Amino acid sequence: MSFKYRGYAGEIIRVDLTNNIVTKQPLDVKLAENFIGGAGFITKILWDEVSPETDPLSPENRLIFAVGPLCGTGWPVSCRFEVGAKSPLTGIYGDSSCCGHWGPELKFAGYDAIVFQGKASKPVYLWINDNSVRIMDAGDLWGKTTGETEEIIRRDLGDHRIQVASCGPAGENLVRYASIISQRRAAARCGLGAVMGSKNLKAVAVRGSKDVKTENPKEFYEFMKEIIEVYRNDFYILDRIKFGTPILVELMNEISRWPVKNFQTGVFPYAKEIGGERIRKEYRIKDRGGFGCWATCEKPVQVKNQPYAGIYAKQPEYETLSALGARLWIRDLDAIIYANELCDELGLDTISTGGTISWAMECYERGILTKEDTDGLELTWGNHEALLELIPKIAYRKGFGAILAEGSFRAAQKIGRGSEKYLMTVKKMEIAAQDGRAQKSMGLAHAVASRGADHLKAFPLVDELGREEPIKARFGEKYLPEMAQPLSPKYKAYEVKDGEELCALCDSLSLCKSSGTCLPLYTGQIYFEDMAKILKLATGMRVSGEELRRAGERIVNLQRAFNIREGLSKNDDTLPDRFTKIPAPEGAAKGHVVELEKMLDEYYGLRGWDQKTGLIPGKKLEELGLDYVAEELKRLGKIPF
């Protein structure tokens, strides 16, 4: 079929699992123009089709897979796909991103998105083979790990090139932070694997043979070569290629931004034992990346010594080395690699898994939990044997694992006894591997992120290492020197707002944030004007950098509006007291707290939101072309007066 813009496939698959019906619909041109793709599509569909009354684990919830216009074009690091739903972990807007080959394969099959609704009467998977889309029996797949699921589907369908995204036993058992896995890569956050499980949907398999055409292929590839040359001259990108994200372990520990013992401190004395240098020297087998990805930041690794000896398809990412390592005071790298493998096979988000267990370990340390609560496990700091026992107990909801499967927020509600004091969550989601006391912009980013406790919605990196060059390139010198100072709260609201709009576009175009977009290149690239140029050359859509920024702002505001409709307000843009009232005890950030209220007021002002309530004025929504949103929120009494 023909679509107005190149780069897009021009078609969406709709799957009604309750009635076993598959339909196809043309992609709406206005949807593409206003929401770009990927996360933008997810945001609009969730607003239109999921109400505040919808239980995230009910048939009425939507589960949406979507890609952007750059996915499958060969543009560097554009191999991502997005998954979205109302989150079973937080009860609000939820999405997650995954790299690899699945997203491009969906585009090669001829589709921009898949929207699931309802619940199948028995386990099924979706099989997309170009124009053929079929609901298949998954009875023999139920209970299988993600790796087994991929192998069986490829074997049964007779094609090793089929790309599979599946939920593991954790998703089947409705663990609230279950992930979706494709070739060991994870759409991890928000519990979207549990949404798959709630719908009796085991997997989505896809194989495509169609071309993805660009509007101006010659200029597109010339610009691509220009950008790649910029990348090749940036030392940070070169480190990412060489080490992958584990190189951040040493860097973040140096600035005391690394969560240790449930954020009791930001410094881990054994960081080098589980960091990027050691992994590359002693464990790495080769470099690997997703479709068309030159960054090759994934590294298969080998553990040589028992009891965890073996070859593993992917090294643990920085976040996992934190969540399953320093956050638990664990320094046994062999055990961390094995724990990461367990989480991927069973379909668990490593961040929430480690975050929930670290909460339990602190409660155990303080006598709130005892061995009677934990099935006899000693949840002492550094006990990697306990970690490896808990991971499958969580995935299968066995014993104490059934409590932890609810996430730390709900577990604390169940346990009580003052355990709530040690929750490191925002909007019910476990905070990722950044201590906001050491980088104030990250503190604000965690508090305001639409999916809760998140760094990737704003991904503020220009102040991370105190480098002024990328700030000058993007913003000039007017925000210096304070914006470059991670311990200063000044101008961080602007940085977070800017980053949220940039990240919304990355998630909608299908761009990786960590390899040249949000990463603080000395040149400042890639920024809004560059993204507008890429979009024009790929699709023919003529937008300025400022117009593209406005699309990012539209997506951010609609995600916020979704959460407002769910009942959230300024009261939910908060951080645990550990960040705002207890100074960092050591390291570069010693004595610092997050000055959240000050930054929050400035952030609301920049966004045009009401500073008392955090609600969005109708005028602001109308400016963004979201009149229908303003009307609904006004009807619900959720517009500030």
Side-chain angles (χ1 to χ4, degrees), residues 31-232:
L31 180 64
E33 291 174 341
N34 291 326
F35 294 95
I36 309 301
F41 288 176
I42 288 169
T43 303
K44 181 64 164 65
I45 294 168
L46 287 179
W47 172 267
D48 289 345
E49 302 184 23
V50 176
S51 73
E53 293 77 29
T54 301
D55 185 314
L57 296 175
S58 72
E60 289 73 33
N61 198 7
R62 300 295 189 263
L63 178 68
I64 307 156
F65 292 74
V67 295
L70 297 184
C71 189
T73 63
W75 184 266
V77 296
S78 63
C79 57
R80 306 196 73 83
F81 68 93
E82 305 290 319
V83 191
K86 190 173 181 180
S87 166
L89 181 65
T90 65
I92 57 174
Y93 176 85
D95 67 13
S96 199
S97 182
C98 185
C99 68
H101 297 264
W102 191 95
E105 202 71 27
L106 182 68
K107 186 73 75 66
F108 299 152
Y111 308 100
D112 299 294
I114 313 166
V115 183
F116 291 96
Q117 65 187 71
K119 177 180 180 178
S121 59
K122 61 181 182 179
V124 298
Y125 73 93
L126 190 71
W127 166 222
I128 304 167
N129 186 12
D130 284 334
N131 296 331
S132 172
V133 184
R134 300 164 57 194
I135 298 173
M136 308 284 284
D137 181 79
D140 63 337
L141 298 174
W142 208 250
K144 302 295 186 184
T145 67
T146 59
E148 290 170 338
T149 298
E150 292 184 21
E151 289 178 13
I152 292 169
I153 288 176
R154 292 191 183 109
R155 181 199 67 199
D156 288 353
L157 297 177
D159 189 343
H160 71 277
R161 295 166 297 182
I162 291 170
Q163 299 302 316
V164 180
S166 67
C167 70
E172 298 171 5
N173 292 307
L174 308 184
V175 176
R176 290 187 183 271
Y177 44 92
S179 59
I180 297 171
I181 302 290
S182 180
Q183 288 187 321
R184 293 300 195 281
R185 301 166 175 100
R189 307 237 68 190
C190 299
L192 303 180
V195 180
M196 284 188 78
S198 74
K199 295 183 178 300
N200 273 335
L201 176 66
K202 180 62 177 177
V204 183
V206 60
R207 184 76 175 97
S209 62
K210 301 175 184 178
D211 292 332
V212 178
K213 297 184 182 299
T214 55
E215 180 71 12
N216 295 288
K218 185 176 184 300
E219 293 179 54
F220 181 79
Y221 287 106
E222 285 299 319
F223 191 41
M224 181 191 301
K225 288 192 292 184
E226 177 186 329
I227 293 297
I228 289 176
E229 192 60 31
V230 171
Y231 291 160
R232 285 175 175 162

Side-chain angles (χ1 to χ4, degrees), residues 251-559:
L251 291 172
M252 297 304 104
N253 194 63
E254 185 177 331
I255 64 172
S256 65
R257 204 201 72 169
W258 216 34
V260 179
K261 287 188 175 180
N262 201 31
F263 286 97
Q264 290 183 32
T265 179
V267 179
F268 189 50
Y270 311 109
K272 289 185 178 180
E273 295 184 26
I274 62 174
E277 293 274 3
R278 185 185 178 206
I279 291 174
R280 182 170 182 86
K281 182 179 179 181
E282 299 181 25
Y283 292 81
R284 167 190 166 272
I285 298 172
K286 61 179 291 185
D287 297 343
R288 189 184 71 169
F291 173 83
C293 180
W294 52 271
T296 61
C297 62
E298 296 179 352
K299 323 287 183 186
V301 293
Q302 181 178 14
V303 175
K304 297 176 183 178
N305 299 318
Q306 295 296 340
Y308 310 117
I311 293 175
Y312 299 90
K314 184 167 68 71
Q315 68 182 5
E317 299 288 353
Y318 162 75
E319 289 285 348
T320 300
L321 291 164
S322 165
L324 304 182
R327 198 159 178 166
L328 307 176
W329 200 253
I330 290 174
R331 56 195 282 199
D332 186 320
L333 186 53
D334 290 6
I336 295 171
I337 291 171
Y338 183 66
N340 179 58
E341 176 80 359
L342 273 180
C343 286
D344 285 349
E345 280 287 286
L346 297 173
L348 285 169
D349 171 18
T350 59
I351 300 175
S352 281
T353 299
T356 300
I357 293 173
S358 70
W359 162 82
M361 281 187 171
E362 180 161 9
C363 289
Y364 191 88
E365 175 188 38
R366 298 180 183 278
I368 296 170
L369 290 174
T370 68
K371 290 173 71 172
E372 291 183 1
D373 300 302
T374 64
D375 304 334
L377 290 175
E378 292 189 10
L379 297 191
T380 51
W381 296 117
N383 187 346
H384 67 264
E385 290 93 350
L387 166 68
L388 294 174
E389 282 196 55
L390 278 175
I391 288 172
K393 286 172 76 73
I394 290 169
Y396 292 100
R397 284 187 172 269
K398 292 183 177 179
F400 184 56
I403 296 174
L404 299 185
E406 291 292 298
S408 57
F409 182 88
R410 288 179 176 82
Q413 287 184 315
K414 184 175 182 64
I415 296 293
R417 310 173 201 165
S419 63
E420 301 90 342
K421 180 179 179 180
Y422 304 106
L423 284 172
M424 298 299 120
T425 60
V426 178
K427 302 178 178 75
K428 302 179 184 178
M429 188 155 82
E430 289 72 25
I431 299 173
Q434 304 83 32
D435 189 325
R437 294 172 294 188
Q439 187 186 354
K440 305 302 173 69
S441 61
M442 277 294 188
L444 176 61
H446 287 156
V448 300
S450 61
R451 64 181 185 178
D454 192 67
H455 60 302
L456 289 172
K457 285 298 177 188
F459 214 28
L461 296 181
V462 295
D463 64 321
E464 187 174 75
L465 299 178
R467 290 159 50 183
E468 294 190 355
E469 290 83 356
I471 295 172
K472 290 178 183 177
R474 286 188 172 177
F475 312 123
E477 298 190 13
K478 60 183 176 179
Y479 298 119
L480 293 174
E482 292 89 352
M483 185 180 278
Q485 297 168 349
L487 295 174
S488 170
K490 194 170 183 180
Y491 302 131
K492 299 309 187 288
Y494 180 84
E495 183 186 353
V496 168
K497 175 186 180 294
D498 180 82
E500 285 181 325
E501 287 153 12
L502 191 66
C503 287
L505 291 173
C506 288
D507 290 339
S508 300
L509 290 164
S510 294
L511 285 174
C512 175
K513 299 167 186 172
S514 297
S515 301
T517 310
C518 298
L519 206 64
L521 297 175
Y522 278 102
T523 61
Q525 289 180 297
I526 297 173
Y527 204 43
F528 292 103
E529 287 297 336
D530 299 285
M531 295 171 93
K533 182 177 180 179
I534 299 166
L535 185 62
K536 177 186 174 184
L537 294 176
T539 70
M541 191 181 296
R542 297 178 179 273
V543 292
S544 66
E546 194 53 41
E547 287 169 332
L548 199 55
R549 177 196 285 275
R550 182 54 63 98
E553 186 182 10
R554 182 179 300 116
I555 294 165
V556 170
N557 274 265
L558 188 54
Q559 290 176 5

